[in-house]
Amino acid sequence: MVLGSGAAVGQLAARLVVARLAGNPRMAIALPTGKTPLPMYRALVDFCRKGSVDFSQAHFFNLDELLGLPRTHPASYAAYLRREFFSKVNASPSHTHLLNGSTQHPLLECIRHERTIIRVGGLGLAVLGIGRNGHIAFNEPGSPIYSRTRVVRLAPETIEDNHFAPNTYALTMGIGTILQAREIILLASGPRKAQIVARALREAPTFAVPASALQLHPNVTVILDREAARELVITKGVV
Ligand code: GLP
């Protein structure tokens, strides 16, 4: 779907989340970070304040987290989700399952995340953004399609785009973990995503563009603004 603005992308994504939760209030949802999903969180908060959605029984997982940052650090993804979403809605703290970036045992932390997903019945929905290099969560180019939650070293483009320190590591759900969600929603807005969105959707699935693995999933909705869809329109005549 191609919409007029990043705000409209967020609004539609929020409406889909609300609709899915109406069908299954206990659904487990993987949540993205970054600038793209901010309008979605604002819309979800609005829906919650108006009483149009109840988050109290839903389970929430973060897709990724920076390794070495405690949850209280403002740059951590846990802090982002708390600031933009959890603190403003009626999500249950016992149902917010966040990777702990300051763990002393990263491998065990990854296994714990995977086991919790299984314990709550699997992900019903994964909402994703996309990096300029095609990453989903922090699955950088070269990530195996069957990968599970694990420790990764961030790619130079990711470090540059996010102003991270050199040699930043992260915990991320794997592509395999994400592909097991029953439904996936991919969001992208702005001209900087145009080229990679076109590659992810139009080229054959390739390790070089992790988001291209989404072509293998039977239930994906892609929501773009006009700028992010630009290369699709120009090169293929598709909107
Ligand atoms: C980070 C996150 C990704 C996100 C990407 C895009 O790298 N790990 O999950 O999709 O940023 O962020 P933005 O929406 O700010 O472009």
Side-chain angles (χ1 to χ4, degrees):
M1 255 164 274
V2 181
L3 304 173
S5 65
V9 168
Q11 186 62 236
L12 177 59
R15 284 196 355 240
L16 292 178
V17 170
V18 168
R20 298 306 180 262
L21 276 174
N24 176 10
R26 303 177 61 83
M27 178 175 274
I29 305 179
L31 293 173
T33 51
K35 292 192 199 75
T36 311
L38 287 172
M40 175 186 78
Y41 290 120
R42 279 197 285 275
L44 286 174
V45 169
D46 271 359
F47 282 129
C48 189
R49 287 189 177 147
K50 288 183 196 136
S52 319
V53 62
D54 174 20
F55 293 112
S56 63
Q57 295 180 68
H59 288 268
F60 297 102
F61 292 81
N62 56 353
L63 285 161
D64 47 14
E65 180 59 281
L66 297 162
L67 193 59
L69 288 192
R71 287 173 178 169
T72 48
H73 193 290
S76 73
Y77 288 178
Y80 169 108
L81 289 173
R82 199 168 50 243
R83 195 165 56 234
E84 305 299 337
F85 185 51
F86 297 138
S87 66
K88 298 175 178 169
V89 298
N90 66 336
S92 158
S94 64
H95 286 196
T96 55
H97 312 285
L98 302 183
L99 286 158
N100 176 10
S102 64
T103 178
Q104 295 303 303
H105 304 285
L107 183 60
L108 291 179
E109 182 63 11
C110 294
I111 292 169
R112 195 182 59 79
H113 210 53
E114 289 279 337
R115 291 179 70 119
T116 311
I117 292 170
I118 293 166
R119 182 169 57 74
V120 303
L123 294 173
L125 177 63
V127 184
L128 310 176
I130 181 170
R132 197 165 47 99
N133 62 1
H135 73 216
I136 45 175
F138 271 139
N139 293 284
E140 300 285 24
S143 296
I145 200 162
Y146 46 79
S147 50
R148 313 303 306 185
T149 303
R150 67 200 189 290
V151 178
V152 290
R153 184 178 177 178
L154 299 185
E157 314 86 73
T158 304
I159 289 180
E160 186 190 319
D161 286 353
N162 294 281
H163 312 290
F164 294 144
N167 292 318
T168 297
Y169 286 75
L171 305 172
T172 184
M173 273 189 201
I175 297 180
T177 319
I178 291 168
L179 288 180
Q180 273 182 332
R182 287 183 281 283
E183 180 176 1
I184 295 174
I185 299 175
L186 176 71
L187 312 177
S189 55
R192 284 163 60 82
K193 301 292 171 64
Q195 206 179 10
I196 200 67
V197 162
R199 290 193 65 196
L201 300 184
R202 293 285 168 242
E203 285 182 14
T206 165
F207 285 126
V209 183
S212 66
L214 300 177
Q215 294 178 37
L216 306 174
H217 193 281
N219 189 11
V220 181
T221 303
V222 180
I223 312 178
L224 308 172
D225 74 353
R226 276 199 202 98
E227 291 179 322
R230 204 168 56 188
E231 299 279 323
L232 287 171
V233 178
I234 293 166
T235 59
K236 302 283 177 185
V238 175
V239 179

